[in-house]
């Protein structure tokens, strides 16, 4: 997934999301998070279905709407097609008929948009379950694969086995990582710890601009910005600064941290390898966001346990050199989190899977990086 989380701050405390910039493009990164005073769209699935049917009853009288047509009408109801008529006409046309597109990459882009849109209106929320028997294919935590960690040095073991798993079906790492860090912050402070439902959040809380970007482009966003958005009001983060040597202390004090702007190279995409040392190898792939959840020391070298969102690579151990060479920044939640912000749709389960999108598309993302410089 693409995490545009390299936010340029001179202070070590982050207190404001508006006007933050990504170092990669030096453009303000406020698009993907609902602005404080922005109108929030919140429709339940039943309400969406009713509005879709009312809006379409004459055009489709006597016929049942397909999921794609429901999705298109959902965008109409949200106002996505209202602000830029010329662009909207093309988007509407291409969503309905892919054969109008001659460029294979553009066709793939709109096919992905169709799949995201259909899943967004089909699902009631994230898929979730508690049984490990139902978690077929998940890379599960085991002491044998990651030896040397004391229970007090791994957050989810130390805190009443509070381990949760997330499966990223799309380039949504910039959403998954903050969701998990927020969840662990609640656990850390001995409060009931639900998990934010990202599918519902996208459907209910994204602004018109954010929803349009998500459906038609979705090449990433700032995990730092999104984390700030979902925390309690007036919360502050500590980071990034040169805190790598302080990570064990920060972990023990604040709980898991957000690893933002992690540079992924070809070696890291091998899901059969869960330990990385030194420096990356292979071609550059993209930016990623994860959570740091544990640490240990062996022969004078610090190792860190990262939690990931790829189904067959849920946990990764890296030494401090690999983490530093990744170019990432690490952020911790300074403000005590006592409750989930009101009106966020949540769920309680051990395993979470977002069904609002399609599998990772690194090649597609790399294509756009190359084409657009």
């Amino acid at each position: 997934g693409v995490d545009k989380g390299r936010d340029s701050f001179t202070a070590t405390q982050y207190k404001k999301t508006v006007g933050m910039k990504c170092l990669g493009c030096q453009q303000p990164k406020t698009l993907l998070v609902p602005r404080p005073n922005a109108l929030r769209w919140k429709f339940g699935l039943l309400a969406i279905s009713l509005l879709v049917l009312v809006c379409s009853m004459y055009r489709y009288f006597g016929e049942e709407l397909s999921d794609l047509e429901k999705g298109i009408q959902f965008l109409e109801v949200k106002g996505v097609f209202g602000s830029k008529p010329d662009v909207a006409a093309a988007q509407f046309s291409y969503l309905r008929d892919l054969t109008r597109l001659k460029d294979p990459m553009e066709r793939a882009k709109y096919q992905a948009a169709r799949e995201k849109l259909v899943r967004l209106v089909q699902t009631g929320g994230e898929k979730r379950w508690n049984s490990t028997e139902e978690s077929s294919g998940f890379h599960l935590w085991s002491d044998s694969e990651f030896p040397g960690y004391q229970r007090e040095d791994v957050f989810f073991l130390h805190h009443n086995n509070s381990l949760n798993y997330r499966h990223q079906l799309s380039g949504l790492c910039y959403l998954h990582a903050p969701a998990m860090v927020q969840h662990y912050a609640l656990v850390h402070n001995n409060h009931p710890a639900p998990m934010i439902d990202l599918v519902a959040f996208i459907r209910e809380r994204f602004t018109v601009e954010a929803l349009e970007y998500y459906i038609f482009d979705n090449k990433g966003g700032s995990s730092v910005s999104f984390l700030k958005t979902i925390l309690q009001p007036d919360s502050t983060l500590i980071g990034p600064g040169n805190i790598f040597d302080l990570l064990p202390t920060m972990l023990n004090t604040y709980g898991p941290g957000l690893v933002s702007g992690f540079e992924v190279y070809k070696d890291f995409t091998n899901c059969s390898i869960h330990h990385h040392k030194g420096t990356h190898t292979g071609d550059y792939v993209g930016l990623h966001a994860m959570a740091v959840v544990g640490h240990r020391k062996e022969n004078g070298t610090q190792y860190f346990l990262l939690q990931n969102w790829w189904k067959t690579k849920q946990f990764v151990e890296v030494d401090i050199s690999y983490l530093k060479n990744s170019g990432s920044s690490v952020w911790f939640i300074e403000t005590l989190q006592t409750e989930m912000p009101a009106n966020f749709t949540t769920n309680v389960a051990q395993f979470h899977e977002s069904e609002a999108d399609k599998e990772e598309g690194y090649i597609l993302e790399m294509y756009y990086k190359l084409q657009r410089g």
Side-chain angles (χ1 to χ4, degrees):
V2 179
D3 169 39
K4 299 180 181 178
R6 295 197 173 167
D7 310 302
S8 53
F9 301 101
T10 54
T12 57
Q13 288 192 347
Y14 168 76
K15 296 186 177 182
K16 190 175 183 182
T17 58
V18 176
M20 64 187 302
K21 294 184 178 181
C22 165
L23 290 183
C25 59
Q26 292 297 314
Q27 294 298 314
K29 288 295 170 185
T30 56
L31 176 63
L32 291 178
V33 289
R35 292 164 295 195
N37 297 320
L39 176 63
R40 289 180 172 176
W41 305 85
K42 186 166 184 178
F43 295 97
L45 281 180
L46 179 58
I48 290 172
S49 298
L50 290 174
L51 284 167
V52 164
L53 289 174
V54 169
C55 293
S56 309
M57 64 183 302
Y58 292 107
R59 189 187 309 173
Y60 299 101
F61 184 77
E63 299 180 16
E64 183 177 351
L65 292 177
S66 69
D67 289 328
L68 177 60
E69 296 292 353
K70 289 179 182 178
I72 292 173
Q73 290 292 335
F74 168 69
L75 293 182
E76 289 182 357
V77 169
K78 289 283 193 173
V80 169
F81 294 140
S83 58
K84 296 174 288 186
D86 293 341
V87 175
Q91 291 173 337
F92 184 87
S93 175
Y94 296 149
L95 279 175
R96 289 177 55 86
D97 185 3
L98 294 177
T99 63
R100 293 174 177 267
L101 291 162
K102 305 306 179 185
D103 184 340
M105 296 307 298
E106 283 294 300
R107 193 179 302 120
K109 170 186 171 180
Y110 273 89
Q111 177 61 39
R114 290 173 69 159
E115 293 174 6
K116 285 184 283 188
L117 190 54
V118 166
R119 291 192 178 101
L120 197 59
V121 298
Q122 274 184 339
T123 61
E126 291 184 333
K127 182 180 179 181
R128 53 195 180 273
W129 60 94
N130 286 302
S131 170
T132 55
E133 286 75 19
E134 297 179 65
S135 60
S136 176
F138 264 86
H139 172 217
L140 302 177
W141 162 265
S142 70
D143 291 315
S144 60
E145 185 178 13
F146 298 97
Y149 286 93
Q150 304 298 315
R151 295 191 67 85
E152 60 268 22
D153 294 330
V154 179
F155 177 82
F156 53 75
L157 298 180
H158 184 56
H159 288 265
N160 301 317
N161 197 28
S162 58
L163 171 62
N164 270 248
Y165 297 83
R166 294 198 67 91
H167 178 203
Q168 169 188 343
L169 284 176
S170 169
L172 295 174
C173 64
Y174 74 96
L175 302 180
H176 284 277
M180 186 65 80
V181 171
Q182 178 201 39
H183 168 75
Y184 284 149
L186 292 171
V187 172
H188 186 60
N189 295 310
N190 300 312
H191 291 277
M195 182 82 73
I196 191 170
D197 188 314
L198 292 180
V199 174
F201 190 94
I202 292 169
R203 188 171 56 229
E204 299 170 357
R205 300 252 172 192
F206 266 25
T207 62
V208 174
E209 295 89 349
L211 184 60
E212 180 181 9
Y213 184 86
Y214 166 75
I215 294 295
F216 295 105
D217 290 293
N218 194 30
K219 288 185 284 296
S222 169
S223 57
V224 179
S225 181
F226 185 68
L227 177 60
K228 180 67 177 180
T229 300
I230 62 177
L231 296 178
Q232 293 174 201
D234 300 318
S235 293
T236 59
L237 305 181
I238 295 180
N242 185 22
I243 63 172
F244 289 102
D245 294 328
L246 301 176
L247 285 183
T249 299
M250 303 292 277
L251 271 165
N252 293 335
T253 303
Y254 299 108
L258 173 66
V259 180
S260 176
F262 184 95
E263 293 180 354
V264 174
Y265 287 78
K266 188 65 176 178
D267 64 315
F268 195 84
T269 64
N270 187 337
C271 289
S272 65
I273 299 177
H274 301 142
H275 301 263
H276 297 273
K277 298 180 181 180
T279 189
H280 48 255
T281 60
D283 295 333
Y284 173 74
V285 177
L287 298 178
H288 192 42
M290 293 178 283
V292 56
V293 295
H295 65 90
R296 70 182 181 92
K297 194 171 186 178
E298 181 180 320
N299 298 326
T301 300
Q302 288 281 1
Y303 293 88
F304 297 96
L305 184 65
L306 307 181
Q307 189 163 359
N308 195 24
W309 329 116
W310 304 344
K311 195 170 188 178
T312 55
K313 194 169 185 170
Q314 287 279 303
F315 300 98
V316 186
E317 183 186 64
V318 298
D319 68 2
I320 192 166
S321 294
Y322 195 93
L323 186 59
K324 286 182 176 179
N325 288 330
S326 72
S328 59
S329 60
V330 185
W331 299 78
F332 292 90
I333 302 172
E334 180 184 36
T335 307
L336 185 72
Q337 299 298 296
T338 59
E339 61 184 1
M340 180 73 73
N343 301 321
F344 281 9
T345 300
T346 62
N347 55 61
V348 179
Q350 186 176 17
F351 295 88
H352 308 259
E353 184 174 83
S354 172
E355 294 183 325
D357 221 325
K358 66 185 191 74
E359 289 288 350
E360 278 284 4
Y362 279 132
I363 295 177
L364 181 64
E365 290 166 357
M366 288 182 68
Y367 173 86
Y368 281 112
K369 284 179 180 290
L370 292 171
Q371 292 299 309
R372 302 185 184 186

